[in-house]
């Protein structure tokens, strides 16, 4: 059998060898693509879809005066992008309603929606933050950030004084937004090719409030999109004939001295 193979090999002409060389190159090219595409697999960077993401407390929060309602440091969860998503960023703002009185804000300051002291130190990224490509085919390998919500006013408050009725509460949502954006820009977002800001409910309203600023923070060449998920609240009468939403938001705006109009 070996002798037969040798005879067959010796009969090959230049054309046969050329065809074989092209075939070998094609196989090698395909193999290389398979190896490179493997870096798009989250398992290639040692993470699984159900691995928790650590809470990062804002490093420059104290210097910037950016505090949660109780004076603790605000935070976010960050997972670095990879492969084709390494220069793309998706930021999700957590929801959780609002507080419109000293009493309701004082209560909130003793929960995860008003203090980082009560926030989970690890969360599982799911939905559009998931690293599972079967669950999140569009953003699974982007840089993904979950901003924790702890100011009670859709990241919009900024009063002259925190002392109200003898209670000290920090309504610093605007400063939290600015400080987190500066930190993300320093981490690479300043060179983003694509950036997507989104949020749900109160986070959706925060997205509406800050979308234009988000656009201005990034280079002109960056493709920027914003999506408010359930963040549009109608200024209409309720079933009792009252403008409950208008009254509620006016209280929030007065309490937190928000420079933004919270009525949409």
């Amino acid at each position: 059998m070996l002798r037969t193979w040798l005879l067959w090999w010796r009969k090959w002409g230049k054309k046969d060898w050329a065809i074989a060389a092209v075939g070998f190159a094609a196989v090698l090219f395909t193999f290389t693509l398979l190896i490179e595409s493997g870096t798009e697999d989250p398992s290639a960077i040692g993470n699984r879809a159900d691995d928790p993401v650590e809470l990062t407390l804002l490093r420059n929060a104290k210097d910037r005066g950016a505090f949660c309602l109780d004076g603790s440091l605000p935070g976010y969860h960050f997972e670095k992008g990879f492969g084709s998503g390494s220069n793309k960023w998706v930021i999700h703002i957590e929801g959780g309603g609002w507080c419109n009185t000293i009493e309701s804000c004082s209560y909130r300051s003793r929960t995860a929606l008003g203090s980082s002291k009560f926030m989970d130190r690890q969360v599982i990224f799911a939905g559009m933050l998931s690293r599972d490509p079967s669950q999140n085919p569009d953003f699974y390998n982007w840089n993904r950030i979950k901003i924790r919500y702890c100011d009670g006013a859709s990241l919009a408050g900024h009063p002259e004084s925190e002392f109200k009725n003898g209670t000290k509460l920090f309504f610093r949502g605007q400063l939290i937004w600015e400080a987190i954006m500066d930190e993300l820009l320093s981490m690479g977002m300043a060179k983003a090719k694509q950036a997507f800001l989104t949020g749900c409910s109160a986070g959706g309203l925060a997205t509406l409030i800050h979308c234009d600023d988000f656009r201005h923070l990034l280079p002109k060449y960056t493709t920027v999109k914003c999506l408010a998920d359930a963040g549009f609240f109608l200024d209409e009468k309720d079933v009792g004939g009252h403008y409950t939403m208008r009254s509620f938001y006016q209280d929030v705006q007065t309490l937190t001295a928000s420079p933004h109009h919270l009525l949409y």
Side-chain angles (χ1 to χ4, degrees):
M1 184 175 180
L2 177 60
R3 181 180 179 184
T4 302
W5 184 86
L6 289 173
L7 290 173
W8 171 70
W9 177 75
R10 288 174 181 175
K11 291 180 180 179
W12 272 22
K14 292 183 178 180
K15 183 178 181 180
D16 298 317
W17 282 110
I19 294 174
V22 171
F24 177 78
V27 172
L28 182 61
F29 178 75
T30 301
F31 183 70
T32 303
L33 284 179
L34 288 173
I35 292 176
E36 291 179 350
S37 66
T39 61
E40 295 293 300
D41 184 350
S43 63
I45 59 172
N47 291 329
R48 299 177 307 177
D50 58 352
D51 284 342
V53 182
E54 296 286 339
L55 174 68
T56 299
L57 296 180
L58 196 59
R59 290 173 294 183
N60 61 349
K62 188 174 182 180
D63 295 336
R64 300 287 294 269
F67 302 116
C68 295
L69 279 171
D70 71 332
S72 60
L73 301 181
Y76 60 90
H77 301 266
F78 169 72
E79 189 161 62
K80 188 175 178 59
F82 59 94
S84 62
S86 59
N87 290 326
K88 302 173 183 178
W89 295 69
V90 55
I91 297 94
H92 183 270
I93 304 174
E94 182 181 29
W98 308 268
C99 58
N100 66 331
T101 65
I102 291 296
E103 292 73 23
S104 63
C105 290
S106 294
Y107 174 80
R108 180 179 283 251
S109 71
R110 298 187 293 275
T111 73
L113 289 173
S115 171
S116 60
K117 296 176 183 178
F118 302 99
M119 293 177 184
D120 292 333
R121 260 38 194 178
Q122 297 180 327
V123 298
I124 302 295
F125 274 6
M128 65 188 306
L129 294 181
S130 172
R131 70 169 69 90
D132 184 349
S134 65
Q135 180 183 123
N136 185 25
D138 295 313
F139 310 109
Y140 75 95
N141 64 348
W142 287 31
N143 294 283
R144 283 158 289 119
I145 299 93
K146 178 183 178 71
I147 296 178
R148 301 304 296 266
Y149 173 43
C150 67
D151 77 299
S154 289
L155 298 181
H158 190 186
E160 295 181 0
S161 173
E162 275 74 30
F163 289 95
K164 296 179 183 292
N165 296 341
T167 302
K168 188 172 186 180
L169 295 168
F170 292 86
F171 300 104
R172 303 290 185 88
Q174 178 66 29
L175 298 181
I176 292 174
W177 163 260
E178 293 172 1
I180 288 181
M181 288 300 105
D182 284 348
E183 187 154 311
L184 295 180
L185 289 168
S186 72
M187 292 163 55
M189 193 174 73
K191 297 180 180 180
K193 291 183 178 179
Q194 292 178 252
F196 184 25
L197 177 66
T198 184
C200 180
S201 190
L205 180 56
T207 299
L208 288 171
I209 291 171
H210 295 295
C211 182
D212 287 343
D213 181 56
F214 186 62
R215 165 66 275 182
H216 294 151
L217 289 171
L218 295 164
K220 292 183 179 179
Y221 63 76
T222 306
T223 300
V224 177
K225 302 291 183 182
C226 300
L227 172 65
D229 180 5
F232 190 86
F233 303 91
L234 298 179
D235 180 26
E236 295 290 343
K237 293 181 180 179
D238 58 24
V239 294
H242 306 292
Y243 284 99
T244 301
M245 295 300 290
R246 178 186 299 184
S247 176
F248 185 90
Y249 282 128
Q250 285 177 340
D251 289 343
V252 173
Q253 193 162 344
T254 300
L255 181 65
T256 65
S258 169
H260 303 279
H261 294 292
L262 297 181
L263 293 176
Y264 286 88

